[in-house]
Amino acid sequence: MQQPKTIYLKDYKPSPFTIDTIDLTVDIHADHSLVTSVMRMEKHKDSVGQKLNLELNGEGMELVSLKFNGEALPNDRFQLSSDKLVILNVSHDEFTLEIQNKINPAENKALEGFYQSGPQLCTQCEPEGFRRITYFIDRPDVMAKYKTKMIADKKQYPFLLSNGNRLGGGDLPGGRHWVEWQDPFRKPSYLFAMVAGDFDVARDTFTTMKGRKIDLEIYVDKGNLGKTPHAMNSLKQSMKWDEETFGLEYDLDIYMIVAVDSFNMGAMENKGLNIFNSTYTLADEKSATDHDFQGVQGVIGHEYFHNWTGNRVTCRDWFQLTLKEGLTVFRDQEFSSDMLSRAVKRLEDVRLLKDSQFAEDAGPLSHPIRPSSYIEINNFYTRTVYEKGAEVIRMIHTLIGKQNFRKGMDKYFELFDGQAVTTEDFVHAMEVASGRDLSQFKNWYSRPGTPTLKVTSRKEGNEFILDIEQKYPVPTVKVEDNNVLLMPFKIGLLDKTTKTEEEHLLELKNLKETFRFKVNGDVTPSLNLGFSAPVIVEYPYEVADLIELMSFNKDPYCRYEATQKIYDHVFKAEFYYYKANGKLNPELTSEFKNAFQNLLKDESIDLSFKSYLLDLPTENGLSQEMLQPDFDAIHTVHHHLRKKLGVEFQEWFLKEHDRLSKASKFELTPKAFGERALKNQCLTYLVTSETKAGMGALDKHYANATNMTEEVHALQLYIASGVELEHESIQKFYQKWKHDSLVMLKWFSSLAAFSPKKSALPRIEKLEKNVLFQKQVPNYLRALYLQFAKNNLHAFHDDNGDAYRFMAQRIRMIDGFNPQVASRAAGAFSLINKLDAKRQTEMKTALKSIMDDKPSRDTYEVISKYLAQ
Ligand code: BES
Ligand code: ZN
């Protein structure tokens, strides 16, 4: 196979041509859409007077006609290939180009460009989908003003939507109609959007800080209006929050959100017309979990916040993706913290970072938050660019302080509004506002891999001394020799007698540093408070220290960390006992029992937080810490440890579960979230204890569940307990929910993630044939295949290699119509560099079978990196 081309950041050059305006007419018919584009173009100021070829991107469409300054262009003046239209030798400095082309949304299964989702038509243009709608200079630094006229059958498509403000509309002969939209703001093509369909519409308004009234509209499938209030409320909260926190007001008169079932990602921030995966829009008490409700709020916030960080100020090129994504994730995290519980939100974000981003950064796909090369940019919408990118922004916030950060944001908009810029420009605004030189800090943008801080302590007289060393993994890309990271490192010194804690904000800027503190007595250091830097901290804690930190630490995140470290310690001891003796350790140490009991009994802890503190480390996290993980042993020991705790504290779990079961009104408050989370956590321990009382609690819980949070949790516990597919717990759920496709996604994913090892693979092969499994809809593909590979570790990593071959086969199939989803599914193989020889060989054979099948560029890039291990 011919190796696809690599694109490098160092090769960036501005486009020699710019596009001032584009007037689009999209005439929608059953078997095709006819697109007419009229563009007013100019040469870039550095190219004026030169004779140049004009290169337009364009893929998967048919060119109908081409006019230059109103006249048909002869065949020898342009060249057409599968991905480009080149107009030869353009000498004019200003001109208009009129292009007509045909596309077919109904046959577009890649879900990029203009495509069909159920009965509706919609677009996805980020990052490079606009080139599948018409020929264009499809790169984010080419910003144009858009006018869009849509024409379609009025009955089938009563709503025709695009960006900006509605200019007008009217009826046409033959039952057709037209609507025209104009977006007053310049934008890159990736923010273009169009929707045609029939919907129910939820309407509301928001009055801005300057008193402007904005129309808010949420478009959903007919019959789903009852599931929109939460999304609408979240939108209003987001608009208000951005005004109050950053002084940022919405800039158009209308804000539309359209929910569709077929979508490659979560949601998209198109100017004035967001398109959302229905999973991140629709929610009600009966069918959505608390996690779903929080997801909707977070994603609505995220896409709304992009209006300023992404749309008004956009990216110069796709290497700068973290400029908008890292910053906007930081903003949505802060929003959710303010709406819910800051402590719990921080813990969840750090958990996600450690579970997924640290793993990504330790594997074959490791890259800096601003990559320096790519084959397919779609592969770089990663945990690193997003979540580590957000941590980098958070570090700036910590280093310069909240007020300076706000000033820096003001500066950023003052300097760059309406422009396409780089991460350097962002940091520059922060430097100007804070008066601080951040040049060393910028090293974070180019270094891949998670740094480790090796910390040791000493005492000299009344001085407590910390020696800190920064260690970096061998980088996967070239990094300058003098790249030493600068980071804020918050620590606490917990006085062992008074239990008071003193906080210090350290700044690390050298590979080795020593810090001295005056102390009165013995102290326990609490390191990386609030997770101030995205690093691994190694410190030789004794279990007694950790128990001290778990009980008395002020910082909630570090308290959580301490409990996790204790579990980790206990788990490892049990694990090695099992490996050495071939049987499970029946005991629990009294030290651990006491610590766990103190946790249970502590009534000062918020309930959400408590349920997290009771969470054992995940099998995923544990496998990542081990080289050549023994997935079966991890699963067995993990289960056994939870079982021992479930048996030991059965009485407490039963009582608490019972107490939390007394009927109360369903609310979406942190308190109510906490009650349901802890109730579910108690049930997990009870069921894992495998006692009669435990199973009794499960039956009762399931029968009485009045919301999806409790209902699906019980379903998962039944599945994990090993019941047959025909068991009434599983079938009842199916019968009850078969008409709600969002709930059916939960049914499929629960079976994929929680089925016991023996039954998992054959069960999945059966589920794929279920009539409700929609085999071309990304949500369904993710629910079945990715849930299995990522969350049913011991089943997927069965060393007979069956599941690897199965997965490879499915990836090949998906790659045939949706490369983006296939390439993400290939993430199933991300642990390849950590596996034992047998599993590695099996995996490589499976991966080669994909390579032999001429995969897409997307899938090629990922698999070739895995195979290079
Ligand atoms: N701009 C992205 C959506 C996107 C990503 C489009 C990749 C095309 C390719 C959007 O703002 C986004 O980041 N969405 C996230 C959810 C968000 C809450 C992190 C997503 O879709 O997963
Ligand atoms: Zn985003």
Side-chain angles (χ1 to χ4, degrees):
M1 164 178 188
Q2 202 194 330
Q3 197 167 316
K5 202 172 127 213
T6 302
I7 321 255
Y8 295 92
L9 167 59
K10 64 175 165 48
D11 294 342
Y12 173 83
K13 278 197 213 75
S15 167
F17 293 88
T18 60
I19 303 174
D20 183 37
T21 60
I22 171 167
D23 292 359
L24 281 168
T25 305
V26 182
D27 199 352
I28 298 167
H29 297 274
D31 59 346
H32 76 277
S33 290
L34 179 66
V35 181
T36 308
S37 153
V38 181
M39 295 180 281
R40 281 203 348 169
M41 304 188 66
E42 284 168 20
K43 290 225 178 88
H44 184 275
K45 62 180 186 335
D46 299 341
S47 311
V48 167
Q50 299 173 36
K51 208 178 212 184
L52 292 170
N53 289 348
L54 164 60
E55 292 197 6
L56 301 170
N57 308 94
E59 285 174 37
M61 54 204 182
E62 183 192 326
L63 180 64
V64 176
S65 71
L66 186 54
K67 284 185 192 161
F68 189 97
N69 276 342
E71 293 194 18
L73 206 62
N75 281 344
D76 61 350
R77 286 286 315 283
F78 66 93
Q79 278 170 359
L80 192 59
S81 63
S82 65
D83 62 354
K84 271 201 176 93
L85 168 62
V86 183
I87 319 286
L88 301 167
N89 300 318
V90 177
S91 51
H92 295 64
D93 291 333
E94 285 181 24
F95 54 93
T96 61
L97 201 60
E98 181 177 333
I99 302 174
Q100 274 203 324
N101 64 278
K102 271 190 194 169
I103 50 181
N104 190 348
E107 273 174 16
N108 177 354
K109 302 292 175 209
L111 316 187
E112 288 176 90
F114 196 33
Y115 68 91
Q116 189 167 337
S117 168
Q120 292 123 7
L121 298 173
C122 67
T123 51
Q124 172 56 38
C125 293
E126 183 178 6
E128 298 180 332
F130 194 70
R131 63 187 64 183
R132 295 170 182 277
I133 297 174
T134 185
Y135 294 97
F136 199 77
I137 310 177
D138 191 12
R139 44 186 281 176
D141 58 348
V142 171
M143 298 170 77
K145 288 206 195 110
Y146 286 68
K147 203 151 96 180
T148 309
K149 182 175 182 179
M150 300 169 68
I151 306 167
D153 182 82
K154 192 170 182 176
K155 240 204 177 125
Q156 194 176 1
Y157 301 113
F159 293 97
L160 300 174
L161 314 174
S162 190
N163 318 88
N165 301 314
R166 194 177 185 276
L167 287 183
D171 289 340
L172 294 168
R176 294 172 68 77
H177 72 142
W178 64 275
V179 177
E180 191 167 36
W181 294 83
Q182 183 166 38
D183 185 351
F185 293 95
R186 264 183 205 288
K187 65 168 174 285
S189 49
Y190 83 85
L191 289 173
F192 173 79
M194 226 172 12
V195 171
D198 195 4
F199 300 94
D200 274 347
V201 192
R203 295 175 201 272
D204 206 330
T205 61
F206 177 80
T207 305
T208 70
M209 57 192 195
K210 292 205 183 115
R212 292 171 41 240
K213 204 164 170 188
I214 316 291
D215 286 322
L216 311 179
E217 302 181 342
I218 302 183
Y219 292 77
V220 298
D221 280 357
K222 297 233 153 199
N224 276 334
L225 268 190
K227 289 188 180 190
T228 57
H230 180 63
M232 187 61 88
N233 194 34
S234 302
L235 177 58
K236 290 191 282 185
Q237 287 174 327
S238 307
M239 297 179 89
K240 187 148 187 286
W241 184 86
D242 219 12
E243 292 186 346
E244 288 172 353
T245 316
F246 288 107
L248 297 172
E249 188 184 21
Y250 185 60
D251 53 8
L252 288 165
D253 301 331
I254 178 169
Y255 194 91
M256 296 174 277
I257 293 176
V258 179
V260 299
D261 287 333
S262 287
F263 202 71
N264 282 342
M265 302 287 292
M268 178 64 210
E269 70 266 25
N270 318 301
K271 185 82 188 186
L273 178 57
N274 288 185
I275 299 180
F276 269 59
N277 191 319
S278 51
T279 50
Y280 286 113
T281 317
L282 304 173
D284 69 7
E285 153 186 2
K286 298 289 175 222
S287 66
T289 63
D290 292 345
H291 185 258
D292 296 331
F293 277 107
Q294 289 162 29
V296 169
Q297 187 181 44
V299 179
I300 296 239
H302 180 95
E303 306 311 337
Y304 176 74
F305 302 140
H306 266 315
N307 190 54
W308 280 94
T309 51
N311 302 6
R312 288 289 288 256
V313 182
T314 196
C315 300
R316 186 192 73 172
D317 54 73
W318 290 119
F319 296 102
Q320 316 299 327
L321 184 58
T322 200
L323 172 79
K324 76 174 176 83
E325 294 302 347
L327 177 56
T328 304
V329 170
F330 171 78
R331 278 154 53 68
D332 83 51
Q333 290 176 345
E334 286 298 294
F335 166 64
S336 296
S337 300
D338 287 342
M339 295 300 118
L340 304 165
S341 147
R342 183 161 283 269
V344 172
K345 175 65 178 155
R346 187 64 188 141
L347 178 162
E348 289 171 343
D349 291 340
V350 176
R351 235 161 83 118
L352 176 76
L353 187 85
K354 285 185 157 184
D355 256 26
S356 320
Q357 195 280 325
F358 278 19
E360 179 174 275
D361 229 352
L365 301 186
S366 169
H367 54 276
I369 61 168
R370 188 186 57 196
S372 51
S373 73
Y374 61 75
I375 290 178
E376 171 53 60
I377 186 56
N378 272 306
N379 286 328
F380 286 81
Y381 288 75
T382 58
R383 295 281 177 221
T384 298
V385 167
Y386 275 66
E387 273 77 25
K388 187 178 179 180
E391 293 302 322
V392 168
I393 302 291
R394 188 173 294 281
M395 284 192 284
I396 298 180
H397 188 272
T398 309
L399 286 169
I400 69 177
K402 189 175 170 171
Q403 283 180 350
N404 279 331
F405 187 85
R406 169 62 204 273
K407 280 198 223 157
M409 291 293 284
D410 292 349
K411 195 58 155 183
Y412 180 57
F413 298 119
E414 179 194 321
L415 293 175
F416 304 118
D417 187 13
Q419 297 176 46
V421 304
T422 65
T423 57
E424 309 253 327
D425 293 325
F426 177 80
V427 178
H428 171 74
M430 290 289 156
E431 287 181 314
V432 173
S434 65
R436 188 181 161 144
D437 176 359
L438 292 169
S439 33
Q440 186 186 351
F441 182 79
K442 283 193 255 179
N443 287 336
W444 280 100
Y445 285 88
S446 48
R447 173 178 285 288
T450 307
T452 296
L453 300 182
K454 291 203 185 280
V455 184
T456 53
S457 66
R458 302 171 269 148
K459 253 196 101 183
E460 280 175 16
N462 62 352
E463 269 192 336
F464 183 78
I465 304 167
L466 284 179
D467 292 304
I468 306 180
E469 187 179 358
Q470 297 192 34
K471 291 257 190 191
Y472 310 131
V474 178
T476 47
V477 298
K478 199 179 154 17
V479 175
E480 300 291 321
D481 289 341
N482 60 358
N483 181 314
V484 174
L485 299 173
L486 181 150
M487 67 187 87
F489 192 55
K490 246 192 214 164
I491 64 151
L493 300 176
L494 179 64
D495 188 301
K496 287 189 181 173
T497 32
T498 64
K499 310 297 182 203
T500 53
E501 192 178 334
E502 207 179 279
E503 275 189 29
H504 299 271
L505 176 58
L506 313 181
E507 283 186 16
L508 310 184
K509 30 173 112 60
N510 296 300
L511 288 177
K512 279 189 182 181
E513 270 165 299
T514 299
F515 296 89
R516 297 168 176 269
F517 309 91
K518 287 255 176 319
V519 292
N520 295 320
D522 275 350
V523 296
T524 310
S526 160
L527 303 169
N528 209 13
L529 298 184
F531 199 68
S532 56
V535 296
I536 297 163
V537 178
E538 286 182 4
Y539 178 84
Y541 281 116
E542 304 283 333
V543 174
D545 295 332
L546 294 171
I547 290 179
E548 179 95 355
L549 290 176
M550 171 184 116
S551 318
F552 301 107
N553 202 323
K554 271 192 307 195
D555 183 75
Y557 166 71
C558 280
R559 217 170 153 182
Y560 169 74
E561 265 290 301
T563 56
Q564 289 294 303
K565 285 216 174 75
I566 295 170
Y567 295 141
D568 214 64
H569 181 90
V570 173
F571 175 84
K572 291 214 169 99
E574 303 251 311
F575 183 82
Y576 292 113
Y577 180 101
Y578 177 65
K579 296 288 269 188
N581 303 305
K583 60 176 192 289
L584 292 158
N585 176 10
E587 314 281 328
L588 282 171
T589 67
S590 57
E591 194 183 29
F592 179 50
K593 270 197 283 197
N594 281 339
F596 196 80
Q597 177 152 42
N598 287 341
L599 247 181
L600 295 181
K601 290 210 169 135
D602 188 338
E603 287 183 0
S604 70
I605 311 175
D606 160 275
L607 298 190
S608 274
F609 201 71
K610 191 180 240 179
S611 82
Y612 277 116
L613 292 182
L614 297 178
D615 247 352
L616 296 181
T618 61
E619 288 179 48
N620 191 358
L622 293 165
S623 340
Q624 265 158 44
E625 285 170 23
M626 296 185 186
L627 201 59
Q628 311 196 344
D630 179 341
F631 297 98
D632 295 312
I634 291 173
H635 183 78
T636 305
V637 174
H638 188 266
H639 179 84
H640 181 69
L641 179 56
R642 188 143 73 191
K643 177 172 173 175
K644 283 197 287 187
L645 289 165
V647 171
E648 177 73 30
F649 297 102
Q650 171 142 171
E651 212 178 305
W652 189 90
F653 285 122
L654 275 174
K655 238 175 84 193
E656 191 69 357
H657 183 262
D658 213 44
R659 181 179 79 82
L660 293 167
S661 297
K662 61 176 191 314
S664 59
K665 206 170 129 257
F666 184 86
E667 281 178 21
L668 295 174
T669 56
K671 180 166 173 285
F673 288 142
E675 287 167 357
R676 289 189 287 272
L678 187 59
K679 183 177 168 187
N680 278 348
Q681 182 68 283
C682 290
L683 188 68
T684 303
Y685 276 100
L686 288 168
V687 174
T688 321
S689 74
E690 291 171 8
T691 59
K692 221 173 138 199
M695 289 314 280
L698 175 59
D699 292 337
K700 214 165 96 190
H701 181 110
Y702 198 39
N704 297 336
T706 54
N707 57 71
M708 187 48 72
T709 304
E710 293 177 4
E711 189 171 348
V712 76
H713 187 70
L715 172 72
Q716 291 169 352
L717 290 170
Y718 279 112
I719 297 170
S721 78
V723 300
E724 298 291 319
L725 194 53
E726 292 69 32
H727 190 266
E728 71 155 318
S729 60
I730 298 180
Q731 291 309 317
K732 225 176 78 189
F733 192 97
Y734 183 91
Q735 291 306 330
K736 177 173 172 193
W737 291 111
K738 61 186 176 194
H739 301 297
D740 186 323
S741 81
L742 292 187
V743 180
M744 283 322 291
L745 285 170
K746 298 182 197 301
W747 187 79
F748 283 105
S749 67
S750 299
L751 285 161
F754 294 97
S755 288
K757 178 169 173 173
K758 278 214 176 62
S759 55
L761 190 55
R763 193 173 272 185
I764 285 170
E765 289 178 307
K766 191 162 176 191
L767 291 173
E768 311 177 287
K769 301 192 190 93
N770 187 293
V771 288
L772 297 180
F773 185 74
Q774 303 182 39
K775 60 183 192 304
Q776 289 186 326
V777 175
N779 287 348
Y780 277 82
L781 300 171
R782 285 187 278 259
L784 203 58
Y785 305 123
L786 268 176
Q787 281 293 324
F788 171 58
K790 292 268 172 186
N791 289 327
N792 205 338
L793 287 178
H794 69 143
F796 177 66
H797 291 281
D798 192 332
D799 66 4
N800 65 18
D802 283 353
Y804 296 163
R805 281 186 290 279
F806 168 82
M807 195 67 182
Q809 208 287 326
R810 296 306 179 272
I811 290 168
R812 283 157 67 183
M813 176 193 79
I814 299 168
D815 201 41
F817 63 92
N818 190 329
Q820 275 185 55
V821 171
S823 149
R824 290 205 178 244
F829 297 102
S830 62
L831 286 176
I832 188 161
N833 62 337
K834 308 206 65 194
L835 300 179
D836 53 85
K838 178 157 189 343
R839 287 188 171 93
Q840 220 171 51
T841 311
E842 297 285 0
M843 227 182 222
K844 285 200 169 161
T845 314
L847 287 169
K848 278 188 194 130
S849 76
I850 304 177
M851 261 336 211
D852 290 344
D853 209 20
K854 290 209 178 91
S856 64
R857 217 171 35 210
D858 309 55
T859 302
Y860 173 91
E861 182 171 35
V862 170
I863 306 256
S864 61
K865 285 183 182 165
Y866 289 159
L867 279 174
Q869 290 302 303

